[in-house]
DNA sequence: GAGCACTGC
């Protein structure tokens, strides 16, 4: 196997890899080595590829309402266009929406440098969750959710003259919602301008989508392409499909390593288990190469989201002289983390994706083929420092069959929170909302049912006052908001605040990947476990953390993730303030776990399961077979008769996560309406 | 016995 037929990309694809890269500037989350620090900032700005298009962009924005900008990584679109607009004296604010916090922060920092101003000044600022600018900067970088929030108080975005949606090709949940909302706003505010920045080939679709059909005389949307700065990347495909991409990755790494080609290697796989397995296999080879005293030595590092922080940092460290670096990563390395000095990329051609199923109300993690856009993005990771190579573990024929773009998140997501927010923005009939890609009707129906059961909407689908409106304003899942807003009446709001905050953060427990300490970690975790289940266990962990004085040493001793706990504190304080705003008294029930559990059922009642005599759990609605997730404290102890859960994830089986032990009588006592309710009229 | 990646005043 691993018989590669080298070939260049087709002309239509090569554009992204053409130009020489001699200045590396911040573009989105990508970092940053500036070889031309000695040059003036103005000279540096003028070297960017987008500079040649400066006047054309300004002209197009005079003439058209929507500019679809196809700009490849490194062209400077996210930092330069806002500055061009300010220089051309466009009035009011320029708002730029980014899918990730780090992108908003680093872009604001870069533009502050370039304009010789401070971040959070009158010129440049940013707004992300828990960290907003108070003034109104001329150029404002923000995360997507922030702009949606702002629409709630300012539906026509009157503070802005231009909105730029960045990284649209990623098609995040909020990108799609913002596109739908912007389409509406553009019709009502003809002087407003929208820039839709995408790295890929969906430009035509975007143009068609934003063209205002009321305006039959002329187009209101226009496309402009700007080339990026990348070294050429030579792409190779396998001649025949390969049976196993883990083995395939190992083989290619060894083959590159034994060839004369220098440079670090980055391989994309779909999940932690695959990454760990590949790392193990490759380390065996690396050890035997070293033991044999051969020259081609290399070091292998894993990279994935749930890896402890100090282990993640390994991928940025220099390897000792004479060692090549090999990084085996999940999709984190595609957009969120940029690993420097990569020359060879290996792409398995697959990605793990979450899909929500509205009929069963469950999420599934599925391994799917990547899109062409993704494959291109992965390949581009090889061309940042010098000409690179991308080895695709699939045939060219299969590549051509891939979809152009990743299936938008909105068609595969739980829509409860989205619909709540749309309704708060005055979109009464969600079915008529012009999504760029409409989500499946079952998912909308399922969301409306849950919202109705939670009392957030009435039988006509209207938001209830005040509960529904309050729920739309809280930045947590509606199920949890319901619990938070009920907790005052139950007299346990302090405890609930803690539990909900703990649920906002992944990986409370540190999970070392090495054998010895991973066993210790598991033993330590037992200390906090209680028979009432995971949610009360989280409460225990937090209380112990608080008692220790919120210290790092406590976390270290108990294998609790300190960074996560600090985030919990941050979120807890924020949510606490919001509770006060809604006049929910902050009181403690002083250890009465039954009160806390009952309050949790106020939101989780629809996620109830009972232990079937066959020994597995079944959902109360629908009798779907469920299992306790191995991470749950209930996995190792006698399984209780009745539970509610926060989440179901379908991997090898349907697993319930974050469980709470309940009594069946509570369901009828606390949610009598739910198990015999009718469906909402809108469906 | 199992854990794609983001995000929200």
């Amino acid at each position: 196997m691993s018989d590669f037929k080298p070939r260049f990309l087709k002309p239509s694809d090569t554009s992204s890899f053409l130009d020489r890269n001699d200045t590396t500037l911040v573009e989105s989350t990508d970092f940053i080595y500036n070889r031309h620090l000695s040059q003036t900032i103005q000279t540096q700005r003028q070297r960017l590829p987008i500079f040649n298009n400066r006047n054309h962009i300004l002209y197009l924005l005079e003439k058209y309402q929507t500019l679809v900008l196809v700009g490849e990584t490194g062209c400077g679109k996210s930092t330069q266009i806002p500055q061009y607009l300010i220089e051309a004296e466009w009035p009011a604010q320029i708002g730029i929406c980014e899918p990730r916090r780090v992108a908003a922060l680093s872009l604001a920092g870069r533009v502050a440098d370039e304009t010789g101003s401070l971040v959070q000044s009158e010129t440049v600022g940013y707004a992300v969750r828990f960290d907003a600018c108070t003034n109104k900067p001329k150029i404002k970088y923000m995360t997507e959710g922030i702009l949606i929030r702002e629409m709630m108080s300012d539906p026509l975005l009157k503070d802005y003259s231009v909105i730029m949606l960045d990284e649209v090709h990623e098609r995040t949940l909020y990108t799609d919602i913002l596109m739908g909302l912007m389409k509406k706003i553009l019709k009502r505010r003809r002087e407003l301008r929208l820039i839709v920045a995408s790295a890929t080939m969906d430009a035509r679709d975007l143009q068609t989508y934003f063209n205002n059909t009321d305006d039959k005389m002329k187009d209101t949307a226009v496309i402009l392409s700007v080339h990026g700065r990348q070294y050429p990347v030579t792409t190779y495909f396998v001649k025949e499909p390969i049976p196993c991409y883990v083995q395939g990755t190992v083989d290619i790494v060894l083959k590159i390593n034994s060839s004369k080609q220098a440079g670090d290697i980055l391989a994309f796989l779909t999940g932690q288990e695959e990454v760990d397995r590949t790392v193990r296999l490759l380390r065996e080879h690396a050890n035997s190469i070293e033991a044999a005293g051969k020259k081609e030595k290399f070091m292998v590092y894993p990279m994935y989201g749930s890896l402890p922080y100090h282990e993640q940092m390994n991928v940025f460290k220099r390897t000792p002289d004479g060692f090549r670096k090999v990084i085996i990563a999940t999709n984190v390395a595609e957009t969120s983390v940029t690993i420097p000095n990569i020359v060879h990329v290996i792409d398995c051609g697959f990605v793990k994706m979450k899909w929500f199923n509205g009929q069963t109300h469950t999420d599934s993690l599925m391994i799917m083929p990547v899109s062409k856009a993704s494959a291109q993005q992965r390949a581009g990771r090889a061309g940042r420092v010098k000409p690179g190579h991308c080895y695709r573990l699939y045939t060219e024929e299969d590549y051509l069959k891939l979809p152009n773009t990743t299936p938008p998140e909105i068609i595969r997501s739980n829509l409860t929170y989205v619909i709540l927010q749309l309704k708060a923005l005055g979109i009464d009939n969600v079915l008529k909302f012009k999504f760029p890609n409409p989500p499946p009707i079952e998912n909308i129906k399922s969301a409306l049912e849950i919202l109705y059961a939670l009392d957030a909407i009435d039988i006509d689908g209207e938001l209830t006052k005040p509960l529904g409106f309050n729920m739309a304003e809280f930045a947590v899942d509606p199920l949890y908001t319901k619990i938070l807003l009920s907790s005052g009446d139950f007299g346990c709001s302090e405890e609930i605040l803690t539990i909900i905050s703990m649920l906002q953060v992944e990986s409370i427990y540190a999970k070392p990947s090495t054998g010895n300490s991973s066993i210790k970690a598991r033993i330590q975790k037992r200390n906090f476990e209680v028979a009432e289940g995971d949610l009360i266990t989280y409460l225990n962990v937090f209380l112990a953390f608080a008692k220790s004085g919120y210290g790092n040493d406590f976390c270290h001793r108990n294998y609790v993730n300190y960074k996560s706990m600090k985030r919990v504190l941050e979120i807890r304080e924020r949510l606490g303030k919001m509770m006060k705003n809604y006049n929910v008294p902050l009181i403690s029930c002083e250890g009465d776990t039954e009160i806390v559990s009952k309050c949790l059922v106020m939101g989780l009642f629809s996620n109830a399961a009972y232990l079937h005599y066959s020994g597995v759990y079944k959902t109360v609605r629908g009798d779907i077979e469920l299992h306790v997730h191995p991470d749950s404290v209930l996995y190792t102890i006698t399984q209780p008769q009745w539970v509610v859960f926060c989440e179901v994830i379908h991997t090898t089986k349907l697993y319930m996560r974050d469980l709470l032990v309940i009594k069946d009588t509570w369901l009828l006592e606390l949610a009598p309406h739910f198990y015999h309710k009718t469906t909402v009229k809108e469906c």
Side-chain angles (χ1 to χ4, degrees):
Chain A
M1 67 128 301
S2 58
D3 191 5
F4 276 89
K5 173 183 70 172
R7 66 173 289 286
F8 282 95
L9 290 166
K10 284 186 301 305
S12 61
D13 289 356
T14 49
S15 52
S16 54
F17 307 118
L18 277 180
D19 299 323
R20 271 199 71 228
N21 183 359
D22 45 20
T23 309
T24 315
L25 287 177
V26 183
E27 174 65 17
S28 124
T29 50
D30 297 335
F31 263 89
I32 305 165
Y33 165 63
N34 189 346
R35 249 165 292 172
H36 297 279
L37 207 59
S38 56
Q39 292 176 352
T40 68
I41 281 169
Q42 284 313 316
T43 318
Q44 288 188 39
R45 287 187 61 198
Q46 285 166 18
R47 293 176 73 106
L48 285 166
I50 201 159
F51 183 73
N52 300 328
N53 297 282
R54 182 182 185 274
N55 291 339
H56 193 48
I57 290 169
L58 289 171
Y59 165 78
L60 290 175
L61 283 172
E62 295 282 337
K63 206 159 172 250
Y64 296 89
Q65 210 180 4
T66 301
L67 170 62
V68 178
L69 189 77
V70 183
E72 291 139 6
T73 311
C75 76
K77 59 183 155 55
S78 323
T79 54
Q80 300 308 303
I81 292 177
Q83 295 184 66
Y84 298 161
L85 291 164
I86 295 299
E87 288 157 12
E89 297 188 339
W90 273 71
Q93 283 185 289
I94 318 292
I96 307 101
C97 294
E98 298 290 331
R100 279 171 296 281
R101 293 164 62 101
V102 274
L105 299 182
S106 66
L107 288 168
R110 177 71 208 180
V111 172
D113 285 349
E114 289 187 5
T115 52
S117 53
L118 295 168
V119 185
Q120 305 299 43
S121 64
E122 269 175 27
T123 317
V124 199
Y126 63 81
V128 297
R129 188 196 198 189
F130 300 137
D131 193 2
C133 49
T134 42
N135 53 354
K136 284 184 181 169
K138 283 184 194 153
I139 301 173
K140 178 167 164 185
Y141 290 93
M142 61 195 129
T143 39
E144 294 166 330
I146 297 279
L147 193 67
I148 293 177
R149 301 255 130 207
E150 289 187 4
M151 287 178 183
M152 286 185 191
S153 52
D154 182 12
L156 293 179
L157 295 176
K158 290 222 172 64
D159 284 342
Y160 296 92
S161 58
V162 182
I163 294 288
M164 176 165 166
L165 302 181
D166 208 359
E167 313 279 3
V168 162
H169 58 278
E170 289 183 26
R171 298 300 294 269
T172 67
L173 188 58
Y174 285 115
T175 305
D176 275 35
I177 297 164
L178 278 176
M179 286 201 280
L181 291 166
M182 287 309 298
K183 191 177 159 74
K184 272 179 90 97
I185 296 174
L186 288 170
K187 272 192 188 176
R188 308 240 332 250
R189 267 191 70 196
R190 289 303 175 94
E191 79 285 7
L192 182 68
R193 292 295 180 267
L194 174 68
I195 302 168
V196 186
S198 174
T200 42
M201 31 245 188
D202 48 355
R204 284 270 167 250
D205 296 339
L206 291 169
Q207 186 195 25
T208 313
Y209 176 73
F210 280 108
N211 245 338
N212 189 344
T213 44
D214 301 348
D215 227 331
K216 292 201 173 60
M217 300 303 287
K218 62 179 176 73
D219 284 347
T220 61
V222 65
I223 301 175
L224 177 70
S225 290
V226 182
H227 288 217
R229 287 193 157 175
Q230 279 270 4
Y231 290 93
V233 174
T234 317
T235 307
Y236 313 87
F237 295 93
V238 289
K239 273 187 192 160
E240 299 291 330
I242 60 167
C244 166
Y245 54 69
V246 168
Q247 191 56 45
T249 303
V250 172
D251 291 345
I252 295 302
V253 169
L254 295 175
K255 200 165 177 180
I256 297 167
N257 191 55
S258 61
S259 77
K260 292 274 181 287
Q261 296 175 36
D264 293 347
I265 302 171
L266 168 65
F268 288 98
L269 293 171
T270 70
Q272 181 181 326
E273 194 266 340
E274 283 172 14
V275 168
D276 286 340
R277 188 148 48 100
T278 311
V279 168
R280 264 201 313 277
L281 288 170
L282 280 169
R283 278 184 181 159
E284 283 170 20
H285 286 282
N287 290 341
S288 58
I289 285 171
E290 232 187 304
K294 288 188 194 160
K295 265 177 92 179
E296 313 86 33
K297 293 179 287 189
F298 63 95
M299 295 183 105
V300 193
Y301 298 106
M303 179 72 207
Y304 44 79
S306 61
L307 204 65
Y309 180 75
H310 66 275
E311 290 188 48
Q312 286 195 3
M313 287 303 111
N314 284 333
V315 307
F316 299 105
K317 282 190 199 143
R318 275 183 63 126
T319 45
D321 276 351
F323 283 86
R324 186 200 298 263
K325 188 155 64 176
V326 179
I327 292 149
I328 313 295
T330 62
N331 230 24
V332 270
E334 192 181 304
T335 46
S336 311
V337 179
T338 300
I339 298 158
N341 300 322
I342 296 298
V343 177
H344 308 276
V345 159
I346 302 167
D347 174 14
C348 75
F350 288 88
V351 66
K352 209 176 268 189
M353 241 187 256
K354 214 172 179 179
W355 284 79
F356 176 74
N357 180 335
Q359 276 159 352
T360 52
H361 297 265
T362 56
D363 277 313
S364 300
L365 266 181
M366 300 206 295
I367 294 175
M368 311 258 307
V370 294
S371 62
K372 288 194 186 104
S374 253
Q376 229 182 45
Q377 175 83 12
R378 288 176 176 189
R381 292 308 203 182
R384 301 180 63 79
V385 284
K386 59 176 177 175
H389 304 269
C390 174
Y391 306 85
R392 292 180 172 154
L393 299 178
Y394 42 97
T395 63
E396 188 179 7
E397 196 190 349
D398 285 337
Y399 171 79
L400 293 171
K401 279 188 253 170
L402 294 177
N404 282 341
T405 49
T406 310
E409 205 182 347
I410 199 157
I411 68 164
R412 46 190 182 88
S413 292
N414 182 342
L415 299 172
T416 30
Y417 190 49
V418 167
I419 288 179
L420 198 63
Q421 284 193 309
L422 286 177
K423 286 196 182 282
L425 288 165
I427 316 289
D428 296 323
N429 191 338
V430 183
L431 295 173
K432 281 191 185 156
F433 186 70
K434 287 206 178 64
F435 291 102
N437 291 75
I441 189 95
E442 307 84 59
N443 294 8
I444 295 179
K445 201 176 142 188
S446 133
L448 290 170
E449 275 174 15
I450 296 287
L451 288 172
Y452 177 66
L454 289 170
D455 251 341
I457 57 174
D458 62 24
I459 192 76
D460 297 314
E462 304 255 338
L463 274 192
T464 56
K465 275 183 191 154
L467 186 62
F469 281 92
N470 293 349
M471 281 166 81
E473 276 172 35
F474 263 75
V476 291
D477 188 297
L479 266 58
Y480 300 150
T481 313
K482 171 84 179 199
I483 297 168
L484 285 167
L485 294 175
S486 311
S487 64
D489 298 336
F490 281 78
C492 58
S493 44
E494 292 281 359
E495 286 80 4
I496 291 297
L497 202 48
T498 300
I499 293 170
I500 303 299
S501 304
M502 292 284 275
L503 285 171
Q504 300 305 300
V505 173
E506 289 158 57
S507 61
I508 289 295
Y509 303 108
K511 279 189 164 181
S513 53
T514 45
N516 211 356
S517 42
S518 77
I519 295 166
K520 273 193 207 154
R522 241 179 299 164
I523 294 167
Q524 282 299 326
K525 198 181 145 190
R526 289 265 165 89
N527 291 339
F528 301 110
E529 290 183 358
V530 288
E532 289 96 328
D534 302 297
L535 301 187
I536 308 295
T537 299
Y538 288 144
L539 181 58
N540 262 350
V541 173
F542 185 88
L543 290 175
F545 176 60
K547 209 174 160 190
S548 80
Y550 307 106
N552 195 355
D553 48 332
F554 165 86
C555 294
H556 203 78
R557 270 200 316 281
N558 292 288
Y559 292 90
V560 168
N561 191 334
Y562 181 59
K563 255 181 93 180
S564 303
M565 292 306 290
K566 279 207 303 200
R567 183 126 177 94
V568 169
L569 281 173
E570 211 176 66
I571 293 170
R572 192 179 187 281
E573 192 175 341
R574 196 75 200 196
L575 291 175
K577 273 186 194 156
M578 295 193 71
M579 302 255 284
K580 270 191 202 149
N581 288 345
Y582 294 106
N583 299 319
V584 179
L586 291 183
I587 34 178
S588 165
C589 62
E590 310 294 344
D592 188 336
T593 52
E594 179 161 324
I595 289 182
V596 178
S597 302
K598 277 184 153 183
C599 182
L600 288 162
V601 170
M602 287 299 286
L604 296 172
F605 56 84
S606 61
N607 297 342
Y610 63 96
L611 190 59
H612 193 249
Y613 62 83
S614 61
V616 295
Y617 283 94
K618 292 200 170 190
T619 55
V620 177
R621 276 195 320 166
D623 269 338
I624 301 166
E625 194 176 305
L626 296 172
H627 301 264
V628 176
H629 193 280
D631 277 347
S632 168
V633 303
L634 297 184
Y635 189 79
T636 43
I637 63 174
T638 316
Q639 308 214 313
Q641 195 59 42
W642 287 83
V643 292
V644 288
F645 49 85
C646 294
E647 180 178 55
V648 170
I649 186 80
H650 192 169
T651 50
T652 50
K653 286 177 185 169
L654 279 166
Y655 287 108
M656 302 179 274
R657 281 211 290 225
D658 295 325
L659 294 155
L660 172 76
V661 179
I662 59 158
K663 293 190 179 123
D664 56 342
T665 50
W666 296 353
L667 291 176
L668 290 170
E669 177 191 337
L670 301 168
H673 55 292
F674 181 67
Y675 293 98
H676 6 237
K677 70 176 179 49
T678 53
T679 45
V680 188
K681 267 184 198 164
E682 193 172 315
C683 290

